[in-house]
Amino acid sequence: MNFWHSMVWHTEGIQVMAPVKWRQFDGLVSVFWEAESQSGAKGYYLSDDPRIMIFFSDVSSQIRMSNRDGDFLQYYRPLTRAIYVPPGMPMWTTSSATHRFSHLNVHMHKDRLLKYLSPSIGTSAAMTALRRPVEVQDTLAIETLARLVVDEVSKPSKHPLYGENLVGSIVTGLLDIPQKGHEQTNGRLTQAQMNKLIARLDRLTDCRLTVAEMAETVGLSESWFSNVFKQTTGKTPLQWQLGKRIDHAKTLLLESHLAVADIAAQLGFSDQAHLTKVFRQIAGSTPAAWRRMQRSC
């Protein structure tokens, strides 16, 4: 399959430091970048096709990313060393410090990806995996494969099938592929799904997700997710999420000197009174009283 990716993108403050190396495979394009990013640099990326980015150094302390209109005040998280971006998902990035980095981009035609996955896991599971974003910090095995791809992109020496199989191994190692029997016949979320949901929530400064976003995180429809979530936790998704926000408020009360009003603003409450009301309902006292009691212990 002849394929060349089509991406809308623009950057500010990012300079390419070496000639870009790339190679086309069957329905795939692998591109190796070496660049330098200035403090305050920005980027925007959007593609109709799925793609994978693998960084060869830890950039999580220097680059933040967001999928919500470039909103880095609330909806941001560190950029991990390997990410899978589903088709049609926008991404904004910003740099907090000047640094050099290199990464491999793998752009894939979505039909090629489905064709690769479907014979082994079925079309439905392949479609589910295609829609699920993935962000991974521990990339040892994937990085080893990515370096082999870079070697073959930089100095082609083998049949294209070699590079295609390397990319295939990266895909199956990185994508969130549903396990067999994932249909939740017992009407409960698995621990892995709950862990994934908690991890995504913890990456947000205000600990807020819509029910649709929570359902998307674990690969379920919104209506089915709401049903099995309550069976799993005994709470509605929004009740559970509110409890997590109060847990985060407790952490800020203990570990920072932020005023209660500032904590309310950071966690997305309408004002201090709103946080105080919810905090009292869940914790049994006001935030200020809770802080004094904990610090006196």
Side-chain angles (χ1 to χ4, degrees):
M1 176 189 295
N2 291 327
F3 168 70
W4 186 258
H5 61 285
S6 176
M7 177 182 285
V8 176
W9 63 282
H10 57 80
T11 60
E12 299 175 18
I14 301 175
Q15 180 180 0
V16 177
M17 303 303 294
V20 178
K21 300 179 178 68
W22 58 271
R23 186 176 178 187
Q24 285 180 289
F25 297 104
D26 178 22
L28 311 167
V29 180
S30 297
V31 188
F32 177 60
W33 295 83
E34 297 177 88
E36 181 176 88
S37 180
Q38 302 299 315
S39 178
K42 299 177 181 179
Y44 168 74
Y45 313 87
L46 175 63
S47 175
D48 289 334
D49 290 295
R51 66 189 189 280
I52 288 172
M53 299 176 66
I54 301 171
F55 289 82
F56 295 107
S57 60
D58 185 0
V59 296
S60 60
S61 64
Q62 298 158 320
I63 305 179
R64 296 181 300 170
M65 66 172 287
S66 171
N67 301 112
R68 295 196 181 188
D69 300 326
D71 185 348
F72 291 103
L73 294 177
Q74 297 186 61
Y75 304 110
Y76 72 87
R77 56 201 182 276
L79 182 59
T80 56
R81 293 191 65 170
I83 65 172
Y84 165 71
V85 185
M89 175 176 284
M91 183 173 78
W92 289 261
T93 62
T94 184
S95 298
S96 60
T98 298
H99 64 283
R100 289 197 176 191
F101 62 93
S102 61
H103 65 86
L104 173 69
N105 279 4
V106 180
H107 303 267
M108 301 162 282
H109 193 289
K110 51 186 174 235
D111 291 343
R112 173 68 167 86
L113 190 54
L114 285 173
K115 182 180 178 182
Y116 176 75
L117 294 173
S118 294
S120 298
I121 65 174
T123 301
S124 178
M127 289 291 292
T128 297
L130 194 72
R131 292 191 294 263
R132 291 179 176 175
V134 177
E135 299 169 21
V136 176
Q137 183 65 9
D138 182 5
T139 60
L140 285 178
I142 292 172
E143 182 179 336
T144 299
L145 294 167
R147 290 189 182 279
L148 292 173
V149 174
V150 170
D151 289 343
E152 193 61 19
V153 167
S154 302
K155 296 179 179 179
S157 61
K158 296 179 174 61
H159 191 279
L161 188 60
Y162 170 70
E164 293 164 15
N165 283 331
L166 287 174
V167 171
S169 295
I170 291 173
V171 166
T172 53
L174 181 60
L175 265 64
D176 186 7
I177 298 173
Q179 297 293 325
K180 198 169 184 179
H182 180 71
E183 293 81 3
Q184 300 293 335
T185 54
N186 64 352
R188 296 177 63 87
L189 296 175
T190 66
Q191 189 58 53
Q193 287 174 311
M194 288 300 300
N195 291 342
K196 186 180 298 184
L197 195 58
I198 292 169
R200 183 174 181 186
L201 201 68
D202 287 345
R203 289 196 296 266
L204 302 174
T205 56
D206 64 352
C207 297
R208 297 174 71 187
L209 290 168
T210 66
V211 176
E213 288 168 332
M214 294 171 74
E216 177 190 19
T217 301
V218 297
L220 298 175
S221 68
E222 185 174 344
S223 58
W224 181 242
F225 169 79
S226 296
N227 180 42
V228 297
F229 188 91
K230 189 163 186 179
Q231 293 185 51
T232 304
T233 66
K235 300 177 181 179
T236 69
L238 294 182
Q239 287 171 339
W240 176 84
Q241 189 180 131
L242 195 58
K244 290 295 181 183
R245 291 166 70 194
I246 295 303
D247 288 343
H248 194 38
K250 289 179 179 179
T251 300
L252 293 174
L253 287 166
L254 280 178
E255 299 179 0
S256 77
H257 296 287
L258 289 172
V260 175
D262 293 332
I263 293 174
Q266 180 169 324
L267 294 179
F269 290 93
S270 56
D271 53 26
Q272 180 174 337
H274 183 203
L275 171 60
T276 298
K277 178 181 178 181
V278 175
F279 196 97
R280 183 187 287 114
Q281 290 173 344
I282 293 177
S285 63
T286 68
W290 188 89
R291 173 184 262 172
R292 286 194 301 269
M293 180 177 64
Q294 295 298 317
R295 290 183 173 177
S296 65
C297 293

